[in-house]
Amino acid sequence: MLMELMQPADMLGDMKKTLDELVRKVDTLLQRQESPFKEPLLKGKGPLDAITLLSLSAKLRKTATILCELGEATAEDVAARTKKKRAVESAYLNQLYEKGYIEKKRKSHTVYFYIPES
Amino acid sequence: MGKFVAVHSYKGGTGKTLIATNLALILAKQGRKVCLLDLDVRAPGLRVVFGKVTPNFWFNDFLDGKCGIEEVLFDISKICNIAEGRFFVGLADPSTEAIQRALVKDRAREMKDLKTILSLREKFIDKLQFDCTILDTSPGFQYSSLNAIIASDVALIVSINDDADMDGTRRMITDLYEAFEKKSLIVLNRILCEEEYRKEGNLLLNKFQKMFNVPIIGTIPLYCDILKTSRASLIALETPEHPFIKLLTGIAGKL
């Protein structure tokens, strides 16, 4: 779609998708470099305990640790702790969700992330 | 603002519990409200030190959800003749049965323990208003130690003049403390015998600082008289003028 024909909302939506994808790719690169363990210790979903936290990339580790402390939180709650943008923490939390470490639920219009009881 | 300090080491026998206990006493005597918690659930050491304490609940019971943390804490300010500040201890169960239960915890349970220990921060800092909480931990990479470090603001690493311990300490600095973005500080314990320590003095700090990329905030020599005393000695109370306490007071000021 030509830029001049796009509505502002569509343009913002496209930009957000691109940014989310970029964050995911940067994070994958960082995870390869930053994890103290060369090979993932755990394959697949596991409880979010201290060893799992150590196996995550630095950014996901920080977000996950804060969620461990808060129990249940929105992206905004986590962003208030990390001092990052809400959208950035939302991306990290969704990555943790996609990896199977955390769950999410909707309460009216707000998405809450939480660590499931095992 | 209240601070959580995890006293940790790579190997056992470095003097963590002696240092953690006396640091807590020094801070309480300086007028602070201090809590000393025994998180070494696999080899609890504080029960022997505080033999006069008869807890109704252990820290293990708190982790099991059988009680609140207030029921674990014991105010021993009067027992220790501390008038300036307040001193609380929370002890781990030293029974063989409790240690066995700690050994067989599964990962889901370790995750729950992490959440429980993290929940202490808000309680201790905002509600109970402790100025400083000192966590005595198990050595090395054990779940209880990892949980304590994750919950802490500062990792105070007690290392000794031993190649294996120093090598392990360096790896823990990069793979553990830095991974969790924790401020880490080193105390080198039993670094030399007293006489050599007096001669070499500040040269020691320069020599050993080159081995670590985090600050060494104190060096302590081997005091034979302390070696001969039982673990149950509270040196900061019984012999506050001992050079060990003077060094530890300097270390406490840098935390």
Side-chain angles (χ1 to χ4, degrees), chain A residues 30-47:
Chain A
L30 285 173
Q31 188 164 8
R32 286 180 195 163
Q33 289 170 5
E34 290 178 18
S35 173
F37 304 105
K38 299 249 185 292
E39 292 294 326
L41 281 183
L42 309 151
K43 309 242 185 254
K45 180 178 154 182

Side-chain angles (χ1 to χ4, degrees), chain A residues 42 48-49 52 54 61-62, chain B residues 107-108 111 143 175 179 181:
Chain A
L42 309 151
L48 207 51
D49 60 8
T52 304
L54 267 178
R61 186 184 308 128
K62 187 164 186 172
Chain B
R107 295 189 58 219
M111 180 184 79
Y143 269 110
D175 296 347
E181 299 180 10

Side-chain angles (χ1 to χ4, degrees), chain A residues 62-106:
Chain A
K62 187 164 186 172
T63 298
T65 305
I66 289 168
L67 191 61
C68 282
E69 187 174 349
L70 296 175
E72 183 180 285
T74 63
E76 193 157 356
D77 295 331
V78 177
R81 296 284 294 268
T82 62
K83 311 296 180 203
K84 292 182 182 154
K85 300 277 183 206
R86 191 209 66 80
V88 171
E89 289 302 339
S90 175
Y92 293 157
L93 286 161
N94 278 296
Q95 282 183 58
L96 288 166
Y97 169 72
E98 283 158 23
K99 288 176 190 297
Y101 293 119
I102 66 176
E103 298 291 340
K104 60 180 177 181
K105 61 187 176 188
R106 190 175 282 276

Side-chain angles (χ1 to χ4, degrees), chain B residues 4 14 21 70 77 84 86 105 115 122 124 133 138 162 170 172 176 206 210 224 229-230 242 249:
Chain B
F4 271 54
T14 58
T21 304
E70 293 93 334
S77 310
E84 305 88 343
R86 302 280 298 282
K105 278 186 193 176
K115 284 165 74 175
E122 187 186 344
F124 273 39
T133 301
S138 310
D162 170 87
R170 278 190 290 273
M172 285 201 312
L176 178 54
N206 295 332
K210 289 174 189 168
C224 292
T229 58
S230 73
H242 195 289
T249 303

